[in-house]
Amino acid sequence: MKIKRFIGRNMREAIRMVREEQGPDSVILSNRRVPGGIEVVAAVDYDEALMQASLRRPAEPATAAAPQPEAEAERLPPRPPVAPHPLAHPPVDRLLAEFGEPDAVPHSPSRPSAAAGNQAASLVHAVSGAHAMAAAPSGEFLELQRTMSQELGGMRRMIEEQLAGLAWNELRRNRPQRYAVLKTLTDLGLDAPLAREIADALPDATSDERARFLPLGLLARRIPVAREDLILEGGVIALVGPTGVGKTTTIAKLAARYAERHGLRDIALVAMDHYRIGAAEQLYTYGRLLGVPVYTATPQQSLRDVLTRLGDRRLVLIDTVGMSPRDHNLRQQIEMLAAASPRLKFWLTMSATSQSHDQDEVIRRFSGTSGDGGDSRLAACVISKLDETTRIGGALSAAIRHRLPLAYVTDGQRVPEDLQIARADGLVIRAQQLARNAPMELDDDTMALRFAPRLDAATTTGAQVHG
């Protein structure tokens, strides 16, 4: 058995030195970082069984003469030959292949030849801790892996962008109507899946004039709306939603709208928001202006008791505490409200200024389902702050996706003038007006990436139709 130490500037150079001097059958015993580079201990004619026997043999006194190899072999009990573990000491060629050497070919290790006992004794110091060091990759190798992973990720993104651009350009050439529809719906602020669904529903044999208006009709058909002027039916209604979406002002508008038709004597307002400074006072102010009584639900006087006292009122509007969708107490509040009265209905107040994915989470959390597929507690939705946004496509996309009926929209602070009934065609016209007042810059690169997942299938179909 021949053991030698090699030092190179890096692991690749050290392994190459081992291969050039000892050949592809050499075995790496250990590696470590030393001043000036990497130290590698390698051996040829490596016999692991003999090495293990040397490690198990008790140390003899230093004055004792070293036994002859033949005598040592006679004293050892016969053992079956043990093949070296394929992962404990990898061959040099396999390590070179892992480091990307072009001339490295995985080599099957040959059967180790017999070695003398005195060579095994000199191996004890060299192989101490060799298994652990060989099993753990060096820092340079890990850094190389990270670099290669980053480069592959960059190449993948570049290829995806190029393929998306080619597919988008092919769509523009082969199906110009669908191309124009996707840009129009994106300008309205609709989510990409909804815009793609409407564009897919566009018939192939469609005139340019019809292709301009048909997608808007398909959008209006998908918008869920509640029954006409739902507040006039009365009931016990709790307005829920995040903080700052305008629940208190919306309650005042709904109460005023009901009073215009049925008068004031059957209306009552209930304040539950005692956390936000001035929230209850704001509702009391609206109550005094409208001539409507305002009651307070506190921990001492539960909501159930308050609603029992108001059992003869035809309309009870409850101003709930605004809570974040991620608040751990949200589900508890929803369950407490639901247990207060079997007549209670939940109306979600959702701001049009929020992003679509935020509105998704708001609907999911306040519906009481948490995405588990159960029935939603929400009976209707009011979209607020239309006057503070440039796009309502995100809110419409969220309502369509969750099939949440839209009852009203608000676009100002005036009570009750700035409360309108939600109508599908009116919402589409409002979306067009907002997009026209604040045009969006839509470059082809952005559109290609936005609709990349299914552009390949769409352009293939287009090529077959127009080919």
Side-chain angles (χ1 to χ4, degrees):
M1 183 182 303
K2 183 180 179 182
I3 303 173
K4 188 171 181 179
R5 185 168 62 99
F6 299 86
I7 297 179
R9 290 175 298 178
N10 50 45
M11 178 64 76
R12 183 180 300 176
E13 180 179 330
I15 294 176
R16 187 183 293 110
M17 294 168 62
V18 174
R19 185 174 184 271
E20 291 174 354
E21 182 166 335
Q22 295 187 341
D25 289 335
S26 57
V27 175
I28 303 299
L29 299 177
S30 68
N31 66 86
R32 64 171 181 168
R33 188 176 296 277
V34 297
I38 300 294
E39 177 190 273
V40 172
V41 178
V44 291
D45 297 332
Y46 171 67
D47 191 342
E48 185 167 352
L50 187 57
M51 185 200 71
Q52 294 292 342
S54 300
L55 289 174
R56 289 193 297 267
R57 185 178 57 199
E60 297 182 359
T63 57
Q68 296 298 321
E70 293 80 0
E72 179 67 23
E74 291 176 0
R75 284 198 299 268
L76 288 174
R79 297 179 180 271
V82 180
H85 194 279
L87 296 179
H89 306 291
V92 174
D93 267 7
R94 193 173 66 192
L95 290 176
L96 284 173
E98 291 178 356
F99 276 93
E101 291 295 323
D103 56 346
V105 179
H107 182 80
S108 298
S110 60
R111 186 179 183 84
S113 60
N118 56 353
Q119 290 176 325
S122 65
L123 184 63
V124 174
H125 177 71
V127 300
S128 58
H131 290 279
M133 297 179 67
S138 65
E140 184 174 352
F141 182 67
L142 293 177
E143 182 64 26
L144 179 63
Q145 282 184 322
R146 284 192 293 267
T147 302
M148 292 179 62
S149 178
Q150 293 174 357
E151 291 178 354
L152 289 175
M155 292 176 60
R156 179 177 180 177
R157 287 190 295 271
M158 180 182 65
I159 293 174
E160 288 177 348
E161 291 176 2
Q162 291 179 349
L163 291 177
L166 291 173
W168 179 253
N169 291 331
E170 186 177 352
L171 176 68
R172 180 172 55 183
R173 290 191 303 269
N174 294 336
R175 303 188 67 182
Q177 289 182 351
R178 188 174 188 273
Y179 166 86
V181 168
L182 289 175
K183 294 197 71 171
T184 299
L185 297 178
T186 301
D187 191 33
L188 298 181
L190 296 183
D191 290 350
L194 178 59
R196 189 186 295 116
E197 176 187 332
I198 294 175
D200 288 342
L202 189 69
D204 291 324
T206 305
S207 64
D208 293 341
E209 185 69 16
R210 189 165 181 260
R212 289 178 54 196
F213 299 102
L214 181 58
L216 302 177
L218 294 174
L219 171 60
R221 189 180 302 172
R222 283 168 169 77
I223 298 176
V225 293
R227 296 184 299 276
E228 184 78 6
D229 224 351
L230 192 59
I231 192 63
L232 299 182
E233 297 179 5
V236 179
I237 300 172
L239 264 68
V240 297
T243 304
V245 295
K247 294 188 296 296
T248 305
T249 306
T250 302
I251 282 180
K253 295 174 182 177
L254 292 172
R257 189 176 191 88
Y258 183 90
E260 289 178 347
R261 180 70 63 88
H262 298 291
L264 298 172
R265 63 181 307 273
D266 290 327
I267 305 175
L269 309 182
V270 179
M272 293 185 62
D273 191 353
H274 306 290
Y275 297 93
R276 186 166 54 92
I277 298 176
E281 287 75 7
Q282 183 182 10
L283 189 64
Y284 276 105
T285 300
Y286 282 129
R288 285 193 298 271
L289 293 175
L290 295 173
V292 174
V294 179
Y295 300 83
T296 303
T298 64
Q300 292 75 24
Q301 186 177 16
S302 67
L303 178 63
R304 183 193 297 270
D305 296 336
V306 173
L307 294 182
T308 301
R309 292 174 52 193
L310 301 176
D312 59 337
R313 302 293 176 126
R314 294 184 56 187
L315 176 64
V316 178
L317 296 172
I318 304 171
D319 186 16
T320 64
V321 180
M323 302 182 72
S324 166
R326 301 177 183 86
D327 195 316
H328 297 296
N329 297 320
L330 176 58
R331 178 176 285 272
Q332 180 180 356
Q333 175 177 322
I334 296 295
E335 293 176 352
M336 181 271 292
L337 290 170
S341 171
R343 298 173 53 205
L344 190 141
K345 293 177 289 188
F346 291 91
W347 284 22
L348 177 66
T349 307
M350 186 170 60
S351 173
T353 60
S354 301
Q355 299 293 328
S356 178
H357 59 273
D358 293 332
Q359 292 164 337
D360 272 334
E361 185 175 14
V362 167
I363 295 175
R364 186 171 61 253
R365 298 290 186 179
F366 280 91
S367 65
T369 62
S370 299
D372 57 7
D375 294 334
S376 173
R377 296 181 185 272
L378 300 177
C381 176
V382 178
I383 300 180
S384 63
K385 301 189 177 183
L386 264 68
D387 56 319
E388 300 180 16
T389 186
T390 60
R391 295 292 185 279
I392 61 172
L396 297 180
S397 299
I400 293 172
R401 194 157 40 246
H402 294 273
R403 297 183 178 89
L404 179 60
L406 303 179
Y408 297 94
V409 295
T410 68
D411 56 359
Q413 296 293 321
R414 296 179 303 169
V415 178
E417 291 83 2
D418 292 331
L419 177 75
Q420 287 83 36
I421 299 173
R423 295 186 175 90
D425 54 349
L427 290 172
V428 173
I429 294 174
R430 185 64 176 268
Q432 284 184 289
Q433 292 173 345
L434 291 173
R436 193 179 300 116
N437 294 336
M440 183 186 300
E441 294 295 333
L442 298 173
D443 59 274
D444 285 341
D445 292 338
T446 302
M447 294 293 294
L449 293 176
R450 183 179 178 88
F451 295 101
R454 285 182 53 193
L455 276 178
D456 51 349
T459 52
T460 302
T461 304
Q464 294 173 354
V465 171
H466 294 274

